[in-house]
Amino acid sequence: MGDTFFEIIGLDKSFRGLKATNKVSLSIKKGEVCSIIGPNGAGKTTLFNLITGLIKPDAGKIFFQGKDITAHSPVEIVHTGIARSFQIVNNFPRFTVYDNIMIAVLGYKRQALKMLTPAKSIGRNEIMELIDRIGLAKEANTLAGELSHGDQKRLEVGIALASNPSLLLLDEPTAGMSSEEKGGILETIKRIMKENNCTVFLCEHDMKVIFSISDTIWVLHNGTVVTSGTVEEIRNNALVREIYLGEAE
Amino acid sequence: MDKIRNLQAGTREWTWYVAVFVILMIVPFFGSIFWTNLLTEILIMGLAAMSVNLLLGFGGSLPFGHAAFFASGAYATALLIKETNLPFLAVLIIAPAMAAVVGAVFGIIITRLYEFYYAIVSAASCMVLWTLIRKVPILGGDTGITGVEIPELLSSIDAVYIFTAIVVFTVLICTKILLNSPFGWIQQAIRENPNRVTCTGSNVLRHRYIAFIISSFICGIAGMLFVLHTQSTFPSYAHWIKSGDFVMICILGGVNTFIGPMVGAAALIILQTYITSLTQHWLLFLGISICLLVIFMPSGIMGLTGHLPKKIQSFFKKSGHNQRG
Amino acid sequence: MSGDIWISLLIAGLSRAMIYFLLASGLTLIFGVLKVINFAHGAFYMLGIFICYSVVKFTGNFAVAFFIIPLVFGFVLGGLTETFLFRRVYKAEHVMQLLLSIGVTYIIADVVKIIWGVSPYSVGMPEVFRGFFSLGGITITKYNLFIIAISLATALAMFAVLYRTKIGSIIRACTYSREMTMTAGVNVSRVFTLVFVAGTALAGLASVAAAPMTTGMLGMDNEMIMIVFSVVIIGGAGSITGALLGATIIGVVEALAVPVLPEFAEVIMYVIVAVVLLFRPQGLFGKSEARV
């Protein structure tokens, strides 16, 4: 089982007859950065929603660390060690950065039903450390809704990290960022991978980002996996070049 | 953007609570039956509205059916006293528990819904109870249950008042602790963004369900206190109009504050007493007030404190923005 | 009881159902486009019945009431409440919209009390519609038949407008996405007013249709709005087909339940609602929201 840290087999999902994913199969090795690319509407976000249990597949199986998690609820999936960030900014805008992370930590620690102890007394050091790690230490008391776009994306990663995942799904973590911001968040991701000892599954539009960080790349088109390989292989693959790189650049 | 206030009460806030409590305790000594009665009613309605606000202001739901739990608490109290020989203390515990049971049943359906569905299904749920109350003979039918005998100790107006104040303040403190706990924070997070809460590993459905039951329990306490106060219950307690009143009190006081519902209850009941002494057309007055409130003062009375200068500022900012765009 | 009586009951139930449909279709139309649930819809219905009484008493002619009231209702009552009240809260929180409509309910209830007092009124059955048809043992009152015909015609007209005309396609576009329609250059605010006017006119039509077979009294609005809500929940909010189906289910079940369980006919209605919600939280024809 050591090889198949995470594996998807024949995942099907259609919306009103339209196939969003069609027999998608892929696997991720422990400790690598795995990326998925493909033009808009290729089914990347659907795939992420399927993995995190937000939608249920019509057919196919998802295995994580040898366990079949296909039928698990989103909450159970978080607790098995898969966390995600969202493509769109998806936080609690009227909460401070600290409180945003706190909500995620409470969820991870299964403390949601505790009614007598004050919430603020739980996991203080841990939360501050995490905020520091995503580079928002100065903004701990700023409202999430008032952060810059780049910082909101960082917070997004932070919320996902709070559940201490062994597989971290990042849905376009650099979308809408300037190139300096992109560099910054890439550094953060690399550092976090080392420190948290987690595997990253990344979905991205920006080819530069993909090529600079990935170990393996999977190419998705119209809901089907077209090909996969290392950065070099994908860069030199004529088909990919023709269809995707042409469109993305 | 309004910051979600840290609900953990500072020393200053505690001082306020203690001061208000002490003042309330002195009221009976002035010997005004009118004010004692009025304050009892304010405290009870405020408590009911607070239970609504637990879901409305702090949970982001639209509970338009809390009359069901108010009535459950009230009818359970009346029936337990009239039809059984249970000790009074047991009644005080069982009656709100009955409301919580009713909440647990209705909650199965209601808490799975969102927004307008939540609102109209909860409104329909209290009408189920309303219909049952009127049709089942033991519940007293259209005339309700009157002449509920309460123990000697609580038979005077002052005693009921003091008892009510103590119970209401105890529940208030418990609610405050609850809102500061992880439970309360997750509850507020669900209001902000339920999907995100799910994705961080908290079970939103279960959370909403438990919050619903707690809220119906508190509303049941209010119903119970109201029976001690009036010694009777009527089917109208379960009507959706009553639920509308609770929501109205919350909005009037300000849904984003902890104490808002109490302030709203005080304002509404004092106003009602005053207006009904002048004219029969309280309903017309209330209707017009609601329209004005919703359009011109959506953040309620508590929203006015300290926010007025900011509002004027933002008004000018907005008009400036329009000129540019 | 013999089968014939059941069929007669069924037809009577259907005509009740059609009143529910007329009300529910207005409510659901408004909800679909404006995303506002109007608690005052029941109060509109009550007001319509009282006005109908006065118009019939004044002119002595039911036909006048039948044609005038829905129009006046739509343009005056609907137009005014939309322009002066609801328009101001479209962007507010939902609770504000609901509370506002409750406020309107209170105002109408008290205005009715001021004008007509507290005693119940009934509009006599117009001469033309008195009597009934007999087919074997089945008796069908003429008026029931008239209501069913009128309501089905209204339903057809609504579908024709919604699916065959330009304004219909604009309304459907608004249901789908307000922003998209706005970018397409449509004056959405005017569409909103139009839909509110149409929805209120339907409430007016429902009340004149119901007037000869109902007694107008205070408090009837609160009961009617719950029935209409149940219809909308069963059918699925925003769906006119759903409103038709939901109204039929509730009207017929209510009519058939009365001889069996006279006391609990209303409770049965809520049981149906609960069952539908347990298995299809979005109603029979509603679109499911992507919620976790």
Side-chain angles (χ1 to χ4, degrees):
Chain A
M1 279 282 150
D3 230 24
T4 51
F5 171 68
F6 177 81
E7 190 170 18
I8 295 173
I9 301 167
L11 217 52
D12 264 359
K13 178 74 192 177
S14 44
F15 298 107
R16 302 187 173 212
L18 195 77
K19 288 238 166 181
T21 64
N22 187 6
K23 301 218 167 31
V24 170
S25 298
L26 56 81
S27 62
I28 302 173
K29 287 194 208 73
K30 190 164 171 56
E32 71 171 351
V33 175
C34 175
S35 302
I36 189 150
I37 59 171
N40 275 329
K44 291 169 293 179
T45 298
T46 307
L47 191 62
F48 272 29
N49 285 341
L50 285 166
I51 295 173
T52 46
L54 292 180
I55 50 179
K56 291 290 162 209
D58 301 331
K61 293 261 179 241
I62 305 168
F63 292 95
F64 179 58
Q65 293 179 324
K67 267 183 290 179
D68 181 358
I69 59 162
T70 322
H72 283 21
S73 72
V75 174
E76 286 168 328
I77 289 174
V78 172
H79 290 295
T80 60
I82 301 180
R84 76 176 287 187
S85 76
F86 285 82
Q87 180 183 350
I88 45 159
V89 167
N90 194 356
N91 50 32
F92 308 103
R94 296 195 295 167
F95 282 17
T96 62
V97 168
Y98 181 92
D99 298 338
N100 269 271
I101 302 285
M102 183 181 76
I103 296 296
V105 168
L106 291 176
Y108 166 64
K109 293 191 160 184
R110 298 178 191 269
Q111 304 275 301
L113 295 184
K114 222 176 200 173
M115 298 184 189
L116 296 177
T117 39
K120 297 271 186 183
S121 69
I122 294 171
R124 230 193 139 81
N125 296 334
E126 198 184 325
I127 296 168
M128 286 314 291
E129 199 197 45
L130 181 57
I131 293 174
D132 192 37
R133 223 184 302 163
I134 54 172
L136 291 177
K138 277 188 203 143
E139 314 281 349
N141 288 319
T142 313
L143 295 187
E146 287 170 354
L147 290 174
S148 71
H149 180 76
D151 285 349
Q152 295 213 16
K153 282 294 207 181
R154 280 170 186 277
L155 178 60
E156 194 60 44
V157 176
I159 294 174
L161 275 179
S163 39
N164 203 10
S166 35
L167 176 63
L168 178 62
L169 307 183
L170 299 174
D171 196 347
E172 303 203 10
T174 67
M177 281 185 168
S178 68
S179 43
E180 295 111 72
E181 283 178 320
K182 277 181 186 173
I185 200 153
L186 283 182
E187 284 311 309
T188 312
I189 292 172
K190 279 181 193 161
R191 195 161 30 101
I192 285 165
M193 275 191 68
K194 240 181 243 157
E195 287 169 1
N196 281 40
N197 189 23
C198 69
T199 310
V200 169
F201 188 20
L202 188 72
C203 152
E204 219 358 292
H205 258 310
D206 190 321
M207 290 300 157
K208 258 187 217 150
V209 172
I210 293 278
F211 288 149
S212 72
I213 198 173
S214 310
D215 296 315
T216 320
I217 299 173
W218 296 78
V219 183
L220 205 63
H221 182 41
N222 285 341
T224 322
V225 173
V226 182
T227 182
S228 69
T230 62
V231 172
E232 280 311 305
E233 283 165 0
I234 296 297
R235 213 198 284 269
N236 299 325
N237 186 319
L239 183 76
V240 175
R241 203 166 239 206
E242 190 183 314
I243 307 171
Y244 304 104
L245 300 191
E247 280 184 38
E249 293 299 309
Chain B
M1 204 174 307
D2 275 340
K3 185 179 172 174
I4 299 301
R5 288 172 210 201
N6 185 359
L7 289 160
Q8 205 152 0
T11 354
R12 214 172 79 194
E13 204 175 336
W14 282 121
T15 325
W16 268 103
Y17 288 149
V18 172
V20 171
F21 186 70
V22 169
I23 292 170
L24 285 175
M25 283 294 125
I26 298 171
V27 168
F29 296 104
F30 290 105
S32 158
I33 294 175
F34 172 78
W35 277 101
T36 313
N37 267 330
L38 200 69
L39 277 172
T40 314
E41 200 170 322
I42 288 172
L43 285 170
I44 296 171
M45 292 306 275
L47 185 66
M50 183 161 279
S51 78
V52 170
N53 201 33
L54 214 52
L55 304 179
L56 176 76
F58 293 108
S61 306
L62 300 172
F64 274 80
H66 265 52
F69 314 126
F70 188 81
S72 301
Y75 270 87
T77 312
L79 284 177
L80 286 171
I81 292 177
K82 276 207 134 171
E83 308 291 332
T84 68
N85 291 320
L86 283 173
F88 185 66
L89 263 179
V91 172
L92 293 186
I93 294 162
I94 297 173
M98 289 302 290
V101 170
V102 175
V105 174
F106 287 162
I108 294 172
I109 293 178
I110 296 172
T111 54
R112 282 150 44 120
L113 306 170
Y114 283 86
E115 295 177 6
F116 288 114
Y117 267 77
Y118 190 106
I120 57 184
V121 173
S122 56
S125 76
C126 71
M127 294 307 278
V128 175
L129 209 69
W130 182 73
T131 316
L132 281 175
I133 288 172
R134 288 170 56 240
K135 299 289 163 68
V136 178
I138 195 180
L139 298 176
D142 279 326
T143 47
I145 302 173
T146 47
V148 179
E149 281 179 32
I150 52 177
E152 200 74 22
L153 188 68
L154 285 178
S155 56
S156 79
I157 289 171
D158 288 352
V160 170
Y161 168 74
I162 299 269
F163 181 73
T164 304
I166 291 170
V167 172
V168 169
F169 265 79
T170 314
V171 177
L172 277 191
I173 291 165
C174 293
T175 316
K176 188 107 192 166
I177 291 172
L178 181 74
L179 282 171
N180 271 312
S181 72
F183 186 89
W185 274 93
I186 300 277
Q187 171 83 347
Q188 294 180 69
I190 290 173
R191 172 194 58 201
E192 299 293 306
N193 191 343
N195 285 355
R196 195 55 169 134
V197 173
T198 306
C199 291
T200 55
S202 304
N203 190 331
V204 170
L205 186 62
R206 186 182 64 187
H207 206 96
R208 280 163 60 101
Y209 186 58
I210 293 173
F212 194 82
I213 294 175
I214 292 175
S215 168
S216 51
F217 182 80
I218 297 175
C219 203
I221 296 178
M224 173 191 80
L225 291 173
F226 207 68
V227 171
L228 302 185
H229 172 54
T230 60
Q231 286 156 31
S232 50
T233 62
F234 301 102
S236 68
Y237 291 3
H239 203 282
W240 70 261
I241 291 283
K242 190 90 181 169
S243 313
D245 285 351
F246 296 151
V247 176
M248 150 94 196
I249 288 173
C250 290
I251 304 285
L252 178 64
V255 281
N256 288 322
T257 55
F258 176 69
I259 210 70
M262 278 293 163
V263 177
L268 185 78
I269 290 171
I270 291 172
L271 203 65
Q272 181 175 17
T273 314
Y274 179 67
I275 299 288
T276 40
S277 71
L278 297 179
T279 157
Q280 314 176 18
H281 299 295
W282 158 245
L283 218 50
L284 183 66
F285 180 86
L286 180 64
I288 294 171
S289 315
I290 290 177
C291 294
L292 295 176
L293 172 73
V294 165
I295 291 171
F296 296 109
M297 209 173 82
S299 47
I301 296 171
M302 292 302 282
L304 292 179
T305 54
H307 279 266
L308 219 50
K310 223 194 241 173
K311 264 197 180 155
I312 294 167
Q313 244 177 26
S314 73
F315 176 77
F316 283 113
K317 257 189 209 158
K318 251 185 227 161
S319 49
H321 187 78
N322 284 344
Q323 280 161 12
R324 258 182 280 139
Chain C
M1 279 189 280
S2 71
D4 292 345
I5 294 180
W6 285 107
I7 295 178
S8 309
L9 277 174
L10 187 74
I11 304 235
L14 272 179
S15 74
R16 285 297 294 167
M18 289 303 123
I19 304 291
Y20 299 158
F21 163 69
L22 289 176
L23 282 166
S25 62
L27 192 77
T28 213
L29 186 71
I30 293 175
F31 174 77
V33 178
L34 280 66
K35 302 286 177 272
V36 166
I37 283 279
N38 186 7
F39 265 90
H41 215 69
F44 288 176
Y45 167 77
M46 175 174 76
L47 182 64
I49 287 193
F50 278 91
I51 292 178
C52 183
Y53 165 80
S54 290
V55 171
V56 170
K57 194 180 159 199
F58 189 71
T59 63
N61 192 342
F62 181 69
V64 176
F66 195 86
F67 290 109
I68 297 286
I69 289 176
L71 286 177
V72 173
F73 239 65
F75 287 106
V76 180
L77 187 63
L80 288 180
T81 37
E82 203 277 340
T83 330
F84 288 106
L85 298 173
F86 282 96
R87 184 174 291 180
R88 288 159 205 279
V89 295
Y90 289 144
K91 290 203 178 106
E93 290 164 58
H94 295 321
V95 64
M96 297 297 172
Q97 302 162 350
L98 289 168
L99 203 61
L100 180 70
S101 67
I102 290 180
V104 175
T105 310
Y106 289 162
I107 295 175
I108 292 177
D110 215 56
V111 166
V112 166
K113 199 166 120 191
I114 293 170
I115 299 178
W116 286 278
V118 290
S119 46
Y121 287 99
S122 59
V123 179
M125 181 65 72
E127 196 65 46
V128 207
F129 298 119
R130 283 191 197 151
F132 48 84
F133 302 110
S134 298
L135 282 167
I138 307 167
T139 52
I140 306 165
T141 58
K142 285 184 183 170
Y143 193 70
N144 282 347
L145 222 52
F146 169 70
I147 286 187
I148 295 174
I150 278 285
S151 307
L152 289 181
T154 312
L156 281 179
M158 279 170 79
F159 283 119
V161 170
L162 280 175
Y163 291 91
R164 289 276 180 274
T165 65
K166 187 157 176 266
I167 184 72
S169 56
I170 292 175
I171 291 174
R172 281 185 298 133
C174 281
T175 320
Y176 185 68
S177 165
R178 217 179 274 186
E179 287 74 23
M180 294 275 267
T181 321
M182 206 127 60
T183 34
V186 174
N187 184 343
V188 174
S189 154
R190 203 172 295 164
V191 176
F192 279 17
T193 313
L194 179 80
V195 167
F196 202 91
V197 164
T200 315
L202 281 166
L205 183 62
S207 47
V208 276
M213 49 184 209
T214 348
T215 309
M217 55 183 147
L218 285 170
M220 70 190 299
D221 54 338
N222 296 332
E223 281 159 59
M224 185 51 98
I225 193 70
M226 282 302 142
I227 297 176
V228 175
F229 277 170
S230 307
V231 168
V232 171
I233 295 166
I234 292 176
S239 160
I240 290 172
T241 325
L244 190 57
L245 186 72
T248 313
I249 293 174
I250 293 222
V252 168
V253 169
E254 201 186 2
L256 298 186
V258 166
V260 190
L261 274 171
E263 294 286 285
F264 295 101
E266 286 165 73
V267 178
I268 293 173
M269 173 179 91
Y270 293 121
V271 171
I272 299 175
V273 171
V275 171
V276 168
L277 281 174
L278 273 177
F279 294 102
R280 265 187 84 83
Q282 73 274 33
L284 296 175
F285 283 84
K287 291 179 207 97
S288 69
E289 281 174 75
R291 285 272 193 185
V292 185

